[in-house]
Amino acid sequence: MVSLDDLILAREKMKGIVHSTPLDYSKTFSSLSSNNEVYLKLENLQKTGSFKVRGSYNKLMSLTKEELQKGVVAASAGNHAQGVAFSSQMLGIPCTIVMPKGAPLSKVSATKQYGAKVQLQGNVFDDALAYALELKESMGATFVHAFDDEAVIAGQGTVGLEILEQLPDVEAIFCPIGGGGLIAGLALAVKEKNPKIRVYGVQALACPSMKQSLIEQKPVMVESSPTMADGIAVKKPGEQTFELVQKYVDDIFCVDEMEIARTMLMLLERNKLIVEGSGAVALSSLLYKKGNVKEKKVVAILSGGNVDVNFISRIIERGMVESGRYANFSLILKDKPGQLQKVLSFITELDANIQSVILEHVGENIYPGYAQLELSLETKNHDHIETLKKVLKSNGYGVKDNHNFS
C-alpha cells in the first residue's frame, strides 16, 4: 500500500523535472459557488498538458537500471501516453506507446514528438491495451499502468502535497476521477496530513464507475455513454485506487454534459484557460452546487488542458448553446420578394446578432413556392431565444431548432 513517505520521496525525485503548478484564486468562480473561496489548481499548465507526467515520471524513477535499459510500454489514447513519452525522453530510455487507431492525430503527433515509438492497434482502448501487454512480454519491457500502480499513485499524490503548501488552511478539495490514480494519491496526502480536510471526487455522469464501485463495495465495470470528459471515462477503477478512495474520499459527485460544457466555456471566457472536459468536472461540481459545500476555502483541480484543436470550436459552440448564448434554427417562408427582409427585421428588432443566413429553395421538405431559411444567431440567454421563437411563431413561421446534443 502506498504511504505518505512514498509521496514525499516522489516529490523530491521530480524536482526540476515536473512543474509545481500555480494555485490561482478566482473571484468570479467564488461568487458563483455558494460564497466559497475558490482556488484553481492549474494542472492544465503542467508539462505535457496534464498531471499524468507526475505519476509516469515517478514510476520510471522507481525502476532498476536493467529495467530502464529494456524500456517501457504503455497503452493510452491521450494524456498518459504523453506523460510516459516525456518521462522516457527525460531519462533517455526506449518507449513504446500503443494507441487505438481512432486516437486524435494531435495526440499521436505530440506523443511522437516526445520521442516515443507509437503503434496504432485496434479500434478501442481495450484492443490497444491487450496488444501493449503482448509487447511487454515479447520485449521484456516494463508496462506503465495509467493509474493502478503504487509508484504512479504516489507521483500523482504530489498534487496534494503542493496544495497543502500553497493553501495550508484549505477546507475542501474537488478532484476528477477516472481510474482513480490522482484522487487516491491526493486524498492520501491530504488526509494523512490533516484528516479534517474534505476530499470530494467528481465523475462524468456518463461513466460513474468509481461511484458505483463504492456503492457495491468493490471495483465494478459500468456501461458508459459518450462524454466530452473522455479522459475520465474509465469503465472500471483500479483495485489499489479503489481501496484508497474507499478509505480517504468523503463523497463522489457526478456532473452531466451540459454542466461540463458550460464550465469549459466559462474557464475559457473568464480565466482565459483552455481546459479539457475531464479537467473541468471538479469546478463544474462546485458551480452546480453538488453536495452541501458553502462558505469554505476550496480547491478545484483542473487536471488537464489537452483539447484537440479541431474540437475546441465545437466545445465553445456547445457551451454557448447550453447557456443560451447561441441559437441555430430553421423556418419555412413563402418564396416571395420581401419575405426574407421581413423575418430578419423581427430578429434585429429583438437585438439578436445575425451571424449567418442560409436560404434554400430546393429540398426534401421544401414545397414549390416556399423556401427554407436557416439562421445562426448570437443571443443573450434562453429567455431571449424563447422570445425570438414566440415572435416568429406569432407571425406564422414554424420554427425548428437545429441543435440536438442528446
Side-chain angles (χ1 to χ4, degrees), residues 230-334:
D230 57 337
I232 55 171
V234 177
K235 294 182 180 180
K236 184 179 180 180
E239 298 284 343
Q240 296 182 69
T241 57
F242 171 77
E243 288 184 22
L244 289 166
V245 168
Q246 192 177 44
K247 180 177 180 180
Y248 290 116
V249 175
D250 294 289
D251 204 351
I252 295 178
F253 308 124
C254 292
V255 289
D256 63 31
E257 298 303 292
M258 176 193 72
E259 292 162 343
I260 297 170
R262 288 182 180 177
T263 303
M264 291 176 72
L265 182 62
M266 289 182 70
L267 281 163
L268 185 60
E269 241 184 353
R270 304 291 181 89
N271 289 59
K272 310 302 179 278
L273 292 171
I274 294 178
V275 178
E276 61 193 84
S278 56
V281 297
L283 178 60
S284 183
S285 65
L286 268 171
L287 298 181
Y288 290 93
K289 300 176 176 57
K290 311 292 180 175
N292 189 30
V293 181
K294 298 178 180 178
E295 299 180 351
K296 301 291 184 183
K297 191 167 286 189
V298 302
V299 171
I301 298 174
L302 307 185
S303 58
N306 290 321
V307 186
D308 189 271
V309 173
N310 294 322
F311 195 56
I312 291 176
S313 62
R314 282 175 273 171
I315 293 293
I316 293 171
E317 181 181 336
R318 176 169 183 149
M320 291 184 72
V321 170
E322 297 288 7
S323 61
R325 302 270 306 283
Y326 180 82
N328 182 286
F329 50 78
S330 300
L331 51 87
I332 301 295
L333 66 161
K334 292 181 179 179

Side-chain angles (χ1 to χ4, degrees), residues 2 34-35 62 65 75 118 121 197 224 252 285 296 381 395 401:
V2 188
S34 301
N35 294 318
S62 72
K65 185 177 179 180
V118 175
Q121 187 72 26
I197 299 172
S224 66
I252 295 178
S285 65
K296 301 291 184 183
N381 50 43
N395 282 276
D401 196 331

